[in-house]
Amino acid sequence: MKNFLVKTIANAAALAVAVWLLDKITLTGGGTGEKALALIVVALVFGLVNLLVKPIVQVLTFPLFILTLGLFTLVVNALMLLLTSWLADKLDLSFHVDGFWTAVLGGLIISVVSWALNAFLPDKD
């Protein structure tokens, strides 16, 4: 349970960095507390999308991974971020990603920040 909480907080921090760096990834809302809660909920949605949908997409697009020597991972990460944005809209959360190329750059930022945070955070339950 502790590992799940740590990973969710790391995802929320990575999403916050993407929101901070990119103008077309927005998190609107009231005060800081509301934005932090929205980020945690979006991080949970993002984690579920990556857990349930991403492996299926990776299996279906495996030839493209081979053909592009893994660079297609950027496209898959962007699609997962766009799906998260769409689900956040349906759940009435204040998170939005505007456009595919913004999602590609946002997915790259989230991946790097998440990797860096997970390297330093505790890994055991």
Side-chain angles (χ1 to χ4, degrees):
M1 183 68 175
K2 183 179 174 185
N3 190 29
F4 173 75
L5 186 62
V6 168
K7 299 288 184 188
T8 302
I9 291 172
N11 269 343
L15 285 163
V17 170
V19 167
W20 179 60
L21 288 175
L22 300 174
D23 291 337
K24 292 186 178 184
I25 297 179
T26 57
L27 180 69
T28 57
T32 306
E34 289 179 20
K35 286 183 179 180
L37 182 61
L39 264 177
I40 291 173
V41 174
V42 170
L44 287 170
V45 171
F46 188 63
L48 284 173
V49 165
N50 281 327
L51 179 71
L52 300 174
V53 178
K54 190 175 183 178
I56 295 167
V57 172
Q58 285 178 328
V59 167
L60 293 175
T61 60
F62 185 70
L64 290 173
F65 280 98
I66 300 298
L67 187 64
T68 63
L69 302 175
L71 288 177
F72 196 71
T73 303
L74 295 172
V75 173
V76 171
N77 288 342
L79 293 175
M80 297 306 107
L81 190 57
L82 286 171
L83 180 59
T84 300
S85 175
W86 180 78
L87 288 171
D89 183 48
K90 296 299 177 192
L91 295 172
D92 201 27
L93 297 170
S94 58
F95 178 78
H96 181 70
V97 178
D98 187 27
F100 176 75
W101 293 110
T102 303
V104 170
L105 190 54
L108 184 61
I109 290 169
I110 291 168
S111 295
V112 169
V113 172
S114 224
W115 170 81
L117 287 175
N118 286 320
F120 293 106
L121 293 174
D123 202 16
K124 297 180 183 172
D125 279 330

